[in-house]
Amino acid sequence: QSLIASLMHPLSRGSVHLASSNPSNALTINPNYFANDVDFDLMARILDFSLKICDTEPFSTAVQGFILPPSDVIENLQSTSNREEVLREYICQWCGPVSHPVGMAAMMPR
C-alpha cells in the first residue's frame, strides 16, 4: 500500500510554445511548478498532514517505513521545531508530477 501526497488543483500555470516552425522540433515546455506561493504552502500542509496520518493509530502500526521522504528528512522532521522549513526544502528537492501532464487548455478560471 501507498499514500501519496498530491496537489490536485494547482494555481500555478505553465506554458507550452512552439520552438520553431518545424513541426518535428520539440515544444518548449515550462511546467512552472509552484510559481504560485499558495501551491507551495498547500503542498507543505498536505505533506505534513499525510505524515501525521502515518504516525497516528491505526495507520502507525501498519506503516512499515517510508520510501519518500527519505529517512534523513523524517529524522529532521522529528527533531526540529521548524517542520515547515524542512518540508519546504524536501518539496524543492523531491516534488514532481505524479502523472504525465497533458493538454494546453487551463481547466480552471484564473
Side-chain angles (χ1 to χ4, degrees):
Q1 291 109 356
S2 298
L3 176 64
I4 298 174
S6 180
L7 182 60
M8 298 303 294
H9 299 287
L11 299 175
S12 300
R13 292 288 175 251
S15 62
V16 178
H17 297 284
L18 297 173
S20 75
S21 60
N22 182 345
S24 298
N25 288 351
L27 299 171
T28 301
I29 301 172
N30 176 6
N32 215 19
Y33 300 129
F34 302 117
N36 188 314
D37 290 337
V38 172
D39 289 346
F40 204 82
D41 293 339
L42 286 171
M43 191 65 233
R45 290 179 185 199
I46 291 166
L47 181 56
D48 194 34
F49 184 71
S50 299
L51 292 170
K52 286 178 182 175
I53 287 173
C54 291
D55 200 31
T56 304
E57 288 293 338
F59 292 102
S60 61
T61 56
V63 173
Q64 296 176 1
F66 294 95
I67 296 172
L68 291 175
S71 59
D72 62 317
V73 173
I74 298 294
E75 290 168 11
N76 286 343
L77 286 169
Q78 293 170 344
S79 66
T80 186
S81 60
N82 194 351
R83 288 178 65 89
E84 187 174 337
E85 184 178 318
V86 174
L87 289 168
R88 285 178 170 273
E89 183 178 320
Y90 168 73
I91 290 167
C92 285
Q93 291 178 359
W94 290 90
C95 264
V98 292
S99 63
H100 63 282
V102 299
M104 294 185 283
M107 302 303 289
M108 292 177 49
R110 288 183 183 249

